[in-house]
């Protein structure tokens, strides 16, 4: 233990180092937990979809799960491509806040949300317009017409959620920028 005496103040350097380490760990957790939650939402939705479809589809009919598998893989990839909305927004918002520019941080957050909604709408339109060829690339042609039908239905419903999914991603970045 190193003791520093100056101006009649005793400072225990080890205690300061431990407190600084605890503060750093807390800051890391404050950033990591929202990021983890944000990144786990889509896979958790896919797991829930798989459980419901597996449980409530007709017995001995693999078509619903086959269709879900192809469409879910396509959606996970499509949404993952736009993860930059969270990873780019967080440091931009944090930088503005660090400079004391709260209005600038709010402006960056608004731009990120606007971009997310525009990109989400474009993604939804692309998925809906090109669902048949995209699903063929994902292999639904090999699973039969019934699985194709299920895949198209599943993709249609989840594609409509693209603007909301990307807005949630941008919101997560904004939140991390404010932490």
């Amino acid at each position: 233990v190193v003791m520093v005496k100056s101006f009649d103040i005793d400072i225990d350097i080890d205690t300061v180092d431990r407190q600084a380490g605890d503060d750093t760990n807390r800051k890391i957790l404050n950033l990591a937990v929202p990021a983890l939650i944000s990144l786990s939402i889509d896979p958790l939705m896919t797991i829930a979809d798989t459980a419901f479809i597996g449980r409530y589809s007709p017995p001995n009919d693999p078509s619903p799960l086959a269709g879900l598998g192809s469409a879910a893989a396509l959606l996970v990839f499509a949404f993952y491509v736009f993860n930059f909305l969270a990873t780019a927004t967080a440091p931009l918002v944090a930088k503005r806040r660090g400079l004391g520019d709260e209005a600038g941080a709010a402006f960056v957050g608004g731009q990120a949300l606007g971009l997310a909604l525009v990109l989400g709408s474009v993604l939804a339109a692309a998925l809906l317009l090109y669902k048949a060829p995209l699903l063929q690339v994902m292999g639904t042609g090999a699973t039969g017409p019934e699985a194709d039908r299920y895949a198209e239905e599943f993709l249609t419903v989840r594609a409509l959620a693209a603007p909301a999914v990307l807005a949630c991603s941008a919101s997560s970045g904004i939140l991390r920028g404010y932490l």
Side-chain angles (χ1 to χ4, degrees):
V1 174
V2 175
M3 299 297 286
V4 176
K5 286 195 173 204
S6 132
F7 302 107
D8 294 329
I9 299 173
D10 292 334
I11 300 173
D12 182 351
I13 299 297
D14 288 338
T15 302
V16 171
D17 286 345
R18 268 194 309 278
Q19 289 172 346
D22 290 344
D23 189 45
T24 301
N25 290 340
R26 195 173 311 110
K27 286 179 182 177
I28 290 171
L29 276 176
N30 284 341
L31 291 173
V33 170
L36 177 65
I37 291 169
S38 174
L39 291 173
S40 65
I41 288 173
D42 193 54
L44 289 174
M45 283 178 45
T46 302
I47 289 170
D49 291 338
T50 303
F52 278 106
I53 289 174
R55 176 83 173 127
Y56 296 111
S57 61
N60 300 320
D61 184 7
S63 296
L65 282 174
L68 169 83
S70 298
L74 177 62
L75 287 162
V76 167
F77 174 75
F79 293 150
Y80 186 76
V81 167
F82 293 97
N83 261 350
F84 70 86
L85 287 167
T87 56
T89 302
L92 293 174
V93 170
K95 179 181 178 183
R96 295 289 180 136
R97 290 199 69 229
L99 294 172
D101 183 10
E102 292 296 326
F107 181 75
V108 168
Q111 284 183 316
L113 286 173
L115 181 62
L117 292 174
V118 168
L119 290 175
S121 298
V122 170
L123 175 62
L127 288 171
L128 293 172
L129 287 173
Y130 300 107
K131 65 183 165 188
L134 288 170
L135 289 170
Q136 288 297 318
V137 169
M138 296 305 294
T140 57
T143 57
E146 240 348 79
D148 240 354
R149 185 177 64 78
Y150 282 112
E152 285 189 15
E153 289 174 3
F154 182 76
L155 181 64
T156 299
V157 171
R158 288 285 299 273
L160 293 174
V165 171
L166 297 189
C168 286
S169 181
S171 297
S172 173
I174 295 167
L175 172 67
R176 284 187 263 167
Y178 272 91
L179 291 179

